[in-house]
Amino acid sequence: MTTPINLNKARKAKAKAEKSRTAAENREKFGRTKSQKNAEKLAATKLQTTIDQAKRER
């Protein structure tokens, strides 16, 4: 026979795991420094200008 589990503890453990996962996603999404954000923005604009320069006029 299986051992009984405490449903309260199981529910709380599930909620804690969900919070932990959400926190990890937020750290990944928002955990960048200002210089990293500026470098990313600069790279995006440089890529866009390169693409615009490569376009041909019709």
Side-chain angles (χ1 to χ4, degrees):
M1 180 166 251
T2 62
T3 59
I5 62 168
N6 187 340
L7 295 178
N8 238 358
K9 287 185 180 180
R11 178 180 50 83
K12 287 181 180 181
K14 183 179 175 185
K16 186 175 182 179
E18 177 66 24
K19 265 185 146 178
S20 169
R21 187 184 61 79
T22 305
E25 287 176 0
N26 284 339
R27 278 193 303 272
E28 184 178 318
K29 191 185 299 183
F30 299 111
R32 298 177 301 163
T33 63
K34 189 172 186 176
S35 61
Q36 288 172 331
K37 290 177 190 177
N38 288 339
E40 190 174 291
K41 189 184 293 186
L42 180 65
T45 55
K46 187 175 182 180
L47 178 66
Q48 187 61 40
T49 56
T50 303
I51 291 172
D52 289 342
Q53 290 171 354
K55 288 183 180 178
R56 293 185 177 179
E57 297 287 329
R58 286 190 176 189

